Structures are given as structure tokens and as C-alpha cells.
Amino acid sequence: MAIQTIPTQPFAGQRPGTSGLRKKVTAFTQSHYLENFVQTLLDVLNASGPDGQALTGQTLVLGGDGRFYNRTAVQTILKLAAANGVARVLLGRGGILSTPAVSAVIRRRQAFGGIVLSASHNPGGPDGDFGIKYNAGNGGPANEALTEAVYARTQVLRELRISDVPDVDIDRLGLQQIEQMQVDVIDPVADYAAVMRVLFDFDLLRTMFKRGFRVRVDAMNAVGGPYARAILEGELGAPAGTVVNAEPLEDFGGLHPDPNPVNAEDLIAHMQRPDAPDFGAAMDGDADRNMVVGRNFVVTPSDSLALMTAHARLIPGYKDGLLGVARSMPTSAAVDRVAKVMGLPCFETPTGWKFFGNLLDAGRVSLCGEESYGTGSSHVREKDGLWAILFWLSLQGATGRSVESLVREHWRIYGRNYYTRHDYEGIAVDVAQALMQDLRAALPALPGRQFGTRRLVLADDFAYTDPVDGSVSGQQGIRLIFDDGARVIFRLSGTGTEGATLRLYLERYEADSAKQDQPVQPALAELAAVAEQVAGISGRTGMAGPTVAT
Ligand code: VG1
Ligand code: CO
């Protein structure tokens, strides 16, 4: 056994996006592609210490969503870690850890950081996507300073340090040794379940299931399955079969594990049947997203965050109230209205969970959410799909009310923020970039212009100054804001692996309870027309409409 030093060549484009480095599996399986990125990460983490040895003697957490290449990548990363001074790796059994579970393990075991192998909601399999992401010691996604430092170094990397030991048995719990490094294979669920137990009233949930409350959780053949099964069916006594598609498969069984009504159509269909369960939910590839569904009623993620904020005190983990709330910029302002009434600080951050970390660490917020089916709290530093499911279950248990009645009551009290996101996928990169550039150039002339009944009052490219560390992130999305609070937002996705994806976010507020029951797309058609008028999407892309509208 020996540590080898191997020459390597930089790869272009190893720049982490909204959530880590995501590429086609065929890119990751190129010789040294993964090795280069991990070596760079370990170099940067080592250099971040005062002595240039920050990682030496420390513990890293490692696990992924079980997609194709997960198991191979785990072996490679262990050999690199062993050769680069890591003392111990806490590895989820089978290479499995959901994103929120990685966050929970880092925090509970005070690890130095963790590596998550996932491309989240992107399809998997040999022709699908793979991804890698680093989470810091607070359990949250690395900040931009770190990901940029990693990217810069990938461009000059010349050498790998890797151990030539045989593979570790990643399916056997307990300790194994590689070089000077210990590998501790852990139960992927235990730490996470312990966190859930202190937040929620498990006895209440047990009683609900005992009385016949019926739930369908669609894990979409992704990593959420083992967690949902262990907690819902194992601990809480939900009947077997409550969790469907519960076995993580390397290609997600061909499903697109992005929990929205389009991709989780099977769940939607079940929730529309006459014998529909009381409550339905789905999670994404790495189990950090959630979609919450009542009988024949889909909850908009932005509304979910607003309702959670309004009712948080009903949940044991939040019974003393919230410190504040945060939402990403494109997320609807529904939560802002609740925060205002409750006198809570409310923050607007750029897209991506990494921007919530400082606010959570500084004790400025307790709940966070994104329009993209992500909600979470200070219990970890990631969004958390199963946590959101347990939260909504608890809300129903504590109030005795259905999902639909909770949401409708919320609209009556606070008004409804009609909301939709239109994705234009697979646009040529130069076309997408030109569209955004031209929009940016047109911004100064827009304020004061009339669009139908609305006057445009603000047009800008969202920039965020982190209130905790003062760091500035620019060009985070173009916002058009109107005099009635309606918003039209444009940004390019930072998680895709093919061409560019334009995301168009539309929102308008409706205070009148008599007008809160319209279908969403027609209710926002006027704003979609404004977006078209200002940006010329169909002319530029040749697309008659979005590929996905949720
Ligand atoms: C998307 C979502 C964003 C989310 C990110 C990661 O990013 O819009 O809200 O944080 O995915 O989610 P983008 O840049 O494609 O719009 V996940 O579940 O992939 O970790
Ligand atoms: Co995800």
C-alpha cells in the first residue's frame, strides 16, 4: 500500500453552480475528472487552515443519493482523502446519505465538513447527471468564496495524491482502515431520525396513523425512500406501503426525481382519486425537496413556507416562536405578509441554499424556503424534504384540518399570491445569454412604463449584500416589480447540464377572497404576456411556450 503522486491535466469548466458541480455522467467518468475536482477541494480545505493543514487529523462526512456512479465515486474519494491527511471519514452505508442527512451528521458529530454526491433533481443513470458538492462545518453548502477558490485551482492543478489500497467494503457497518485514515461506515438514517424526534411530537403522529390517517409519500426511487420508510412506517406506525418508490435506484427507475406536479404525476393522480389518501408528498433525488399535496389540492411551495411560518408554534421544535424567516428572491412574497403581521424579520436572498447559512448561523432566521419545492429550518443547514412532510403532517394533526382547508384559510386571512414558474429548457447558451444581456440593457428605460393596468415601478438585476459577512453577490436575476406588487423575474438556471434553462417567475397578489379560486395559469396570463413583450422569449428561442410550467 502506498500513496502515489500522479500527474494530471486541468479540465475546463469545473465551476460549481447553484448547488455544486453537476455534469453528465459521461463527463465525470473521464479519467481523472472526479479525482481532479476532489484533489482541488482537499487542497483548498487544507490551505484554509492557519498552518496550511486544516484538514489534517479531521473528520469528513461522505455520502450520496445512490445514483449511477455513486459507489465508484465513493471509493475514489476515500483513496484521495486517505492520501491527503484526512483522519476519519463517516460514510453512509452503501455510500448513501441524503443531503439533509449529511448536514445532520456534520453538525451532530462536529465534523470538519462533508461531501455530497448528488445531482439532486436532475435525472440519473449512465446517460443522466452526476454531481458533487461540499458542505462546511456548519452543515451547509460551501459559500461562493470557497467554491470560487476551488474552481480557480481546478484550472491549474497538475498533481493527484491518491492511495492505491483495495476498495473498502462500503456495505459493512463499522470501522475499516485505509493508510492512516479510518473509515467509519454508519447507518445513514440514525443521526437524521434523532434530529426529527426532538422537533416533532412523534406520539401525536403515531396516534394519527393509529386512527387511520392515510398518507402516500412518493420517494421517486431516490434516496428519501429509506428515510421515509424508517421514520413513517418504522417509528410512527404508518402502514407498509405508505412510502412508494422507496428503493433508491441508480437511474431512479427512469423517473425524473424533481417533485413537481409534472414529474410526480403518479402522486397527483392518486391524490385525485375518490379513495385518495388524506395527505400526499414527494421528494427529489437527494431528499432535500418536497412537494405537499392534499386531496385534489397541490400546495405551492411559496405558500407552504408562509403557512409553516404562520403555524410554527404548533410544532414542538418551534413552540417558542421563530427568530425570523428568509426566502429566495424568486419565491413569492406570501411569507413576507405573514412575517409582517407577526413582527418577524424577513430576508430576501439569491437562489440557492448556501445563502441561508449565515442567517441561520447568526440566529437571524429559523425558517427558510425557495419556490423550487425547498423548505427547511435551523435544525440543519440544508432544505429538508422529509422534515417538511413531518411538519405538514403535524400541522394536520395539531389542527385536525385538511391541507386544502389550511391553505384556503390562509388565503382568506393573508390574501393569495398567485404564483407560477415557467421553465424554458434546452435553449442554446448564446441565445439565453443574449436574452439576459439585452434585458439588462433595457432595464433603465422600464420604470414608469404602463403595462395594461399596471405601472412598472422597479426594474433591476438583483444584488445581495449578506447582512452577516457583508459579501456581495450580483446578477442574481432580473426583477420587474409593478405598482400592485406583481413581479416578473428572469434568471438562468445554475444546475442544468445541457444548454441553458431560462426560468421565468410570475407572481401577483389577490386580496379579494372571492377571486382566490382561479386556475393559476390564466390568473397569471397577463404577466406572462408582459414577460414576452419585454424579453421576446418565443422569438429568440423559437419556443411557443415553456417546456415546464408549475
Ligand atoms: C435550482 C432551484 C434552486 C435550488 C437549486 C438546488 O437552481 O431553482 O432554488 O436551490 O436548484 O436544488 P437553478 O439554478 O437551477 O434555478 V437541489 O434540490 O438541486 O439541491
Ligand atoms: Co435536491
Side-chain angles (χ1 to χ4, degrees):
M1 283 191 283
I3 290 170
Q4 301 180 314
T5 303
I6 300 174
T8 192
Q9 294 293 320
F11 288 92
Q14 290 196 321
R15 173 179 247 146
T18 312
S19 179
L21 180 71
R22 290 190 196 173
K23 300 285 175 195
K24 292 268 162 225
V25 165
T26 48
F28 265 103
T29 50
Q30 296 170 84
S31 173
H32 290 184
Y33 192 90
L34 175 69
E35 287 87 338
N36 272 19
F37 188 78
V38 175
Q39 179 67 59
T40 302
L41 173 66
L42 297 173
D43 286 345
V44 168
L45 293 177
N46 263 323
S48 69
D51 49 1
Q53 292 285 306
L55 250 187
T56 305
Q58 303 273 0
T59 298
L60 281 183
V61 178
L62 175 62
D65 63 15
R67 69 178 59 222
F68 184 80
Y69 201 54
N70 191 135
R71 293 177 69 91
T72 312
V74 160
Q75 299 290 355
T76 304
I77 293 168
L78 289 175
K79 287 168 195 167
L80 286 158
N84 282 276
V86 176
R88 200 156 74 113
V89 170
L90 298 170
L91 172 70
R93 184 180 47 213
I96 291 285
L97 278 172
S98 75
T99 289
V102 169
S103 192
V105 175
I106 293 173
R107 292 170 68 77
R108 280 170 58 84
R109 313 230 187 173
Q110 291 169 2
F112 184 81
I115 294 175
V116 190
L117 301 174
S118 173
S120 186
H121 58 284
N122 298 20
D127 304 322
D129 293 345
F130 190 75
I132 178 167
K133 174 172 96 142
Y134 178 71
N135 282 24
N138 70 345
N143 60 27
E144 280 190 330
L146 192 116
T147 55
E148 280 303 302
V150 170
Y151 172 61
R153 194 171 159 77
T154 61
Q155 299 310 296
V156 296
L157 186 77
R158 296 285 166 200
E159 229 172 58
L160 301 172
R161 275 186 309 284
I162 188 157
S163 160
D164 68 351
V165 286
D167 283 0
V168 166
D169 181 355
I170 64 174
D171 299 306
R172 176 159 60 85
L173 288 176
L175 292 177
Q176 295 167 62
Q177 193 84 22
I178 305 187
E179 310 287 0
Q180 297 307 305
M181 187 179 86
Q182 258 186 4
V183 181
D184 190 357
V185 178
I186 60 169
D187 172 359
V189 181
D191 286 80
Y192 178 82
V195 176
M196 294 303 111
R197 252 173 243 133
V198 298
L199 292 176
F200 299 104
D201 180 352
F202 272 27
D203 287 333
L204 169 75
L205 300 176
R206 268 185 213 109
T207 309
M208 286 171 75
F209 286 119
K210 211 171 271 163
R211 292 191 180 147
F213 192 84
R214 287 168 58 229
V215 174
R216 182 181 181 90
V217 170
D218 193 333
M220 303 193 83
N221 301 317
V223 80
Y227 294 85
R229 246 193 199 155
I231 293 177
L232 297 173
E233 298 180 12
E235 278 200 51
L236 299 175
T242 295
V243 186
V244 299
N245 296 320
E247 214 56 64
L249 301 178
E250 289 201 329
D251 64 350
F252 306 121
L255 292 182
H256 184 177
D258 185 353
N260 61 41
V262 176
N263 295 323
E265 55 177 355
D266 179 65
L267 175 69
I268 301 295
H270 271 89
M271 297 307 292
Q272 288 171 343
R273 284 158 48 158
D275 63 342
D278 301 289
F279 177 58
M283 291 179 279
D284 73 333
D286 58 337
D288 58 354
R289 296 188 181 201
N290 74 92
M291 177 174 70
V292 164
V293 192
R295 282 204 175 126
N296 214 355
F297 190 90
V298 181
V299 183
T300 305
S302 301
D303 283 347
S304 175
L305 176 64
L307 265 99
M308 286 178 162
T309 302
H311 297 287
R313 279 179 183 271
L314 295 175
I315 312 288
Y318 312 95
K319 65 175 188 323
D320 297 329
L322 306 174
L323 299 167
V325 288
R327 63 164 171 84
S328 67
M329 183 273 281
T331 303
S332 98
V335 69
D336 302 37
R337 295 185 179 272
V338 180
K340 198 167 174 205
V341 170
M342 298 177 75
L344 290 175
C346 181
F347 297 86
E348 183 177 42
T349 59
T351 292
W353 211 262
K354 57 178 172 257
F355 294 103
F356 294 132
N358 276 350
L359 294 169
L360 290 161
D361 286 351
R364 310 267 293 254
V365 302
S366 309
L367 293 189
C368 312
E370 294 192 279
E371 50 66 40
S372 53
Y373 297 85
T375 24
S377 92
S378 48
H379 68 288
V380 288
R381 293 291 179 274
E382 287 282 3
K383 56 187 187 266
D384 187 344
L386 187 52
W387 167 87
I389 294 169
L390 292 168
F391 199 118
W392 271 91
L393 261 176
S394 304
L395 276 190
Q396 293 165 84
T399 59
R401 305 181 62 164
S402 72
V403 170
E404 176 168 0
S405 101
L406 283 165
V407 175
R408 290 198 184 280
E409 179 197 60
H410 188 92
W411 291 343
R412 270 196 304 280
I413 297 171
Y414 296 98
R416 176 174 184 185
N417 289 67
Y418 279 106
Y419 188 85
T420 189
R421 185 177 100 189
H422 291 183
D423 290 336
Y424 292 81
E425 297 166 314
I427 308 178
V429 172
D430 54 338
V431 170
Q433 275 167 357
L435 185 150
M436 292 300 282
Q437 258 160 33
D438 293 349
L439 256 178
R440 225 167 260 135
L443 292 179
L446 290 176
R449 265 184 66 182
Q450 195 73 26
F451 291 87
T453 56
R454 295 190 173 86
R455 197 167 55 84
L456 195 148
V457 292
L458 189 150
D460 72 354
D461 195 347
F462 182 63
Y464 178 67
T465 304
D466 186 300
V468 180
D469 67 14
S471 60
V472 178
S473 305
Q475 300 210 333
Q476 296 295 321
I478 287 170
R479 305 190 289 183
L480 311 182
I481 304 183
F482 297 86
D483 52 357
D484 62 347
R487 299 193 306 161
V488 173
I489 292 154
F490 304 85
R491 58 179 284 282
L492 297 183
S493 159
T495 59
T497 59
E498 251 177 58
T501 294
L502 172 70
R503 303 206 197 279
L504 169 66
Y505 310 83
L506 307 171
E507 170 186 12
R508 77 172 176 83
Y509 179 65
E510 181 57 72
D512 183 349
S513 55
K515 295 184 185 160
Q516 288 171 353
D517 202 17
Q518 300 168 47
V520 171
Q521 297 305 330
L524 293 165
E526 261 180 33
L527 288 172
V530 171
E532 182 57 44
Q533 185 187 335
V534 175
I537 304 170
S538 59
R540 286 167 180 271
T541 62
M543 296 161 84
T547 37
V548 184
T550 52

